[in-house]
Amino acid sequence: MKKIAFITGATSGIGEAIAKMLASDYALIICGRRVERLEKLADALRAKTDVYALTFDVSDSKTVNTAIDSLPSQWQDIQILVNNAGNAHGRAPIHEGDLADWDAMIDSNLKGLLYVTRAITPGMVKKKSGDIINIGSIAGKEVYPDGNVYCASKFGVDAAIKGMRIDLNPYGIRVVGIHPGLVETEFSVVRFKGDKDKSESVYKGITPLYANDIAETVKFVVDRPPHVTIADITIFPTAQASSTIVNRQL
Ligand code: NDP
Ligand code: 8X3
């Protein structure tokens, strides 16, 4: 079997595009909560590579460990971990924030990434090899109005990435942070709880990034020779200059 890449959040958007992009060179463990979507993607990708579909919620540490422990022995030697699962839930000023939304963001985006990393890194440390590609966000570099807790979760992710790079340095493990701006996926549909007008308005008047742009970046990063670590990339659509400055040709 080829080397193994483990991708969280593969049921849509950026994670799905990364799975498709890496399928030519890697065997894939694809993860997400929506079983039907995961199975459909697995079936499609099996034309290209070996695929193992693993359904679990990253925010539940027990489920994360049970799922990863359940991997058959031939699927346990993971070379690449792509920490991508996550979402924004709501967008509101701090005094109006919904606590369930806050929990979902901290628990999935930050704690979930940590749980998965904790479960997979001992194997990488043991063999002194591995790549950990983390999908952060520009929201982890700059705070924007009403983005408070989503931004906090992604600032936490940025700190976790830097911390793991230091801790895993003695073992030759490459740790990468990729921080996108506006990417048109299901992200805004989830954030605005299915409100089509609100979610479409996020990308109105611009050519946004597409999931494939991020997948190509992941491919570039993992294809570097072993002595090269691309530590940190911020990637914007050309129309975007910062979290809050977007040139909309309306
Ligand atoms: P999508 O909504 O299209 O995809 C999100 C993915 O994350 C889905 O596969 C979803 O799977 C998975 N996911 C979410 N919560 C959980 C959970 N608790 N347990 C397991 N899986 C979960 O959005 P994107 O593809 O855009 O988002 C992917 C990553 O990129 C996120 O971390 C996001 O913060 C980040 N990002 C996105 C940007 C954008 O503008 N789109 C910009 C910057 C960063 P399922 O629901 O099946 O579990
Ligand atoms: C997603 C990008 O700007 O909506 O992380 O927070 S943004």
Side-chain angles (χ1 to χ4, degrees), residues 184-202:
E184 190 164 14
T185 61
E186 292 176 23
F187 177 85
S188 292
V189 177
V190 174
R191 170 171 238 173
F192 297 116
K193 305 178 198 302
D195 184 325
K196 211 166 169 278
D197 290 343
K198 270 193 185 171
S199 55
E200 282 176 1
S201 72
V202 175

Side-chain angles (χ1 to χ4, degrees), residues 3 26 79 130-131 172-174 176 219-230:
K3 284 185 174 175
Y26 294 89
Q79 175 63 25
D131 292 344
I173 296 168
R174 302 191 296 186
V176 176
K219 177 88 169 78
F220 175 80
V221 160
V222 299
D223 282 351
R224 290 313 87 211
H227 68 287
V228 178
T229 295
I230 308 287

